[in-house]
Amino acid sequence: MKTVTLYSRPRCHLCETAREILKELQQQWNFSIEEINIDLDDDLVEKYGIMIPVVELDGEELQYGIINKKFISEAFSRKNLEFIS
């Protein structure tokens, strides 16, 4: 099973929306979610500070900022993630 990484921070409404989109996509795609709070790592704050949320798969940033469910689903298809329904 692949792991999708969600870089986020507390009290971020875009991050909450991204998390919900990923949870919905788990109904169709076989992946786990690893959520990383960038505020706990100065290097991540420097890298992603104004970009969050950031959705990453296999080290590739798929999308950041306003996350679009259709765009992420298409990216999963391109990355050959296992489709389950």
Side-chain angles (χ1 to χ4, degrees), residues 11 13-14 37 41 47 49 52 54 66 72 77 79 84:
R11 298 172 304 284
H13 74 281
L14 292 176
N37 177 356
D41 184 321
K47 183 175 182 179
I52 62 156
V54 176
I66 298 172
I72 295 296
S77 180
K79 298 289 274 180
I84 55 178

Side-chain angles (χ1 to χ4, degrees), residues 1-16:
M1 178 185 312
K2 298 260 187 175
T3 300
V4 172
T5 304
L6 173 62
Y7 293 97
S8 65
R9 64 173 22 130
R11 298 172 304 284
C12 165
H13 74 281
L14 292 176
C15 300
E16 292 168 11

Side-chain angles (χ1 to χ4, degrees), residues 30-65:
N30 187 22
F31 67 94
S32 62
I33 301 170
E34 174 187 25
E35 188 166 358
I36 297 176
N37 177 356
I38 68 164
D39 287 341
L40 301 177
D41 184 321
D42 290 341
D43 290 336
L44 291 177
V45 169
E46 186 175 327
K47 183 175 182 179
Y48 294 124
I50 60 172
M51 293 172 57
I52 62 156
V54 176
V55 176
E56 180 182 275
L57 175 63
D58 292 339
E60 178 186 340
E61 294 170 6
L62 301 180
Q63 193 171 39
Y64 63 90

Side-chain angles (χ1 to χ4, degrees), residues 18-32:
R19 184 181 311 110
E20 290 305 313
I21 287 170
L22 290 176
K23 286 181 180 178
E24 289 173 17
L25 287 171
Q26 281 183 311
Q27 305 303 311
Q28 299 171 316
W29 300 92
N30 187 22
F31 67 94
S32 62

